[in-house]
């Protein structure tokens, strides 16, 4: 529900890609947004107003004037937090760029005080035409945000550039446009997340079941606060939602440490959320380890890995904030407090494994420990919401250092 309390004007123009706008509308509503749909005359040939009205729970607006009533275009552009034109045809783009005003959508655009996002959709030759490219440049200079077009099958049957961006990506673009703040602009944030895989032989490793969900959620919220985010991510099938987050994929604890070592000194905030292996095999085999006839036991010698959080705690300068995590099963608060001191962290996020909390679940319940102050409790909630609150707290701690 990232878009709760946000107001979106979804303007649909006449392209075959209009069918994707129905999915976008659904995603916006699911994300908590209030959506007012505006439909151009030709768009109504591609999508039914009834579908859009049912999904948005509002009458669809099509004309400036209907009978004796008229749609107040100035008010609409002020009501909305963002005006999204998706799909935007070549014709609408050209009219927007040249200030023409012969329909409701254009009247709203010309008087809009809100942010504007445009998702073009057209055939490849129209897309590459210098007139279209010049119009796009004009709109960019007006401050309009342009969604990328993608390559693929087009309405004409040709294959090329010009497909409208997929609704899921458009939702992320809208979220980024509406939620991104500048509180951490120009600041670098370093995060470790996920498990590590300590190699035994070409097909086996020692690992744990950390998914990286919590660290990825933290990276996303730091990104939405405007930070330059570097995410050192252990093996996982998950990735952060926003392409602007720089992901450094690593496998082993040693690789994770090397990535942190390279980035730590230039980072203002470092959060070690990864479940790093404490030990790694002293030897990893090039060939698959085979069973030996008659041998019932096999000894594995392990050696300690570098404690990345402790390294950051030791190296940190006065202005740098270092936060760690603690996964505890017993004496949780006391053990977490010990980690805070021994690793010289500024704060520790304590969580405990249970079916609804810890490594691989979608929800978590945590305590934030800072020095001698009483631990702050964040009750059970989804990891996205907890990450959002934690990041706000981390920023507060960072600001207090100045
Ligand atoms: N950590 C790390 N490097 C390691 C081990 C742990 O950076 N080699 C970090 C984790 O990312 C976490 C914190 O240290 O932020 C605590 O990790 P946790 O697994 O709870 O504890 P350990 O330090 O490994 O100690 P123990 O397993 O004995 O509880």
């Amino acid at each position: 529900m990232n878009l709760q309390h946000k107001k979106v004007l979804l303007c649909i123009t006449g392209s075959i890609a209009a069918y994707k706008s129905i999915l976008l509308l659904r995603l916006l509503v699911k994300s908590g947004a209030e959506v007012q749909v505006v439909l151009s005359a030709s768009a109504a040939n591609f999508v039914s107003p009834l579908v859009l009205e049912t999904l948005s729970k509002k009458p669809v607006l099509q004309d400036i004037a209907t009978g004796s009533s008229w749609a107040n275009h100035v008010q609409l552009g002020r009501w909305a937090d963002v005006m999204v034109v998706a799909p935007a045809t070549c014709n609408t783009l050209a009219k927007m760029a040249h200030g023409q005003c012969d329909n409701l959508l254009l009247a709203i655009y010309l008087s809009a005080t809100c942010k504007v996002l445009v998702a073009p959709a057209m055939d490849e030759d129209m897309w590459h035409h210098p007139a279209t490219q010049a119009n796009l440049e004009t709109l960019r200079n007006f401050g309009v945000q342009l969604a990328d077009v993608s390559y693929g099958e087009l309405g004409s049957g040709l294959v090329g550039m010009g497909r409208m961006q997929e609704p899921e990506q458009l939702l992320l673009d809208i979220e980024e446009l509406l939620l991104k703040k500048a509180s951490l602009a120009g600041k670098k944030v370093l995060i470790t997340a996920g498990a590590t895989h300590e190699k035994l032989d070409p097909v086996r490793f020692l690992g744990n079941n950390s998914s990286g969900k919590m660290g990825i959620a933290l990276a996303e919220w730091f990104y939405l606060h405007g930070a330059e985010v570097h995410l050192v991510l252990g093996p996982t099938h998950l990735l952060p939602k926003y392409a602007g987050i720089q992901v450094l994929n690593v496998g082993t604890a040693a690789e994770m440490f090397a990535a942190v070592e390279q980035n730590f000194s230039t980072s203002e905030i470092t959060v070690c959320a990864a479940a790093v292996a404490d030990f790694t095999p002293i030897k990893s085999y090039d060939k698959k380890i085979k069973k030996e006839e008659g041998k019932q036991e096999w000894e594995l010698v392990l050696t300690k890995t570098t404690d990345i959080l402790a390294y950051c705690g030791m190296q940190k300068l006065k202005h740098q904030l270092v936060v760690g995590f603690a996964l505890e099963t017993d004496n949780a608060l006391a053990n977490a407090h010990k980690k805070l001191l021994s690793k010289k962290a500024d704060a520790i996020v304590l969580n405990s494994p249970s079916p609804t909390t810890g490594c691989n679940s979608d929800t978590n319940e945590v305590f934030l420990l800072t020095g001698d102050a009483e631990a702050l409790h964040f009750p059970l909630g989804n990891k996205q919401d907890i990450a959002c609150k934690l990041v706000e707290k981390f920023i507060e701690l960072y600001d207090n250092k100045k």
Side-chain angles (χ1 to χ4, degrees), residues 272-274 276-278 305-309 324-328 339 343:
C272 293
V276 190
D278 292 326
T305 59
T306 305
D307 190 315
I308 302 169
L309 175 61
F325 270 66
L327 188 69
E328 303 294 342
K339 276 178 194 165
K343 303 199 188 204

Side-chain angles (χ1 to χ4, degrees), residues 1-12 20-37 52 55-56 82-86 117 167-176 178:
M1 297 290 274
N2 279 354
L3 293 181
Q4 213 157 21
H5 309 304
K6 300 292 182 200
K7 299 187 185 85
V8 180
L9 261 180
L10 177 59
C11 305
I12 306 174
K20 291 189 192 171
S21 305
I22 297 174
L23 302 175
L24 176 60
L25 170 57
R26 183 84 190 100
L27 293 173
L28 286 166
V29 170
K30 269 173 90 174
S31 184
E34 188 183 344
V35 187
Q36 172 64 63
V37 178
L52 301 163
L55 291 175
S56 67
V82 64
M83 173 181 186
V84 180
V85 188
L117 172 72
E168 291 76 9
Q169 182 56 48
L170 279 176
L171 179 74
L172 293 178
D173 291 352
I174 295 166
E175 276 184 11
E176 204 172 320
L178 291 182

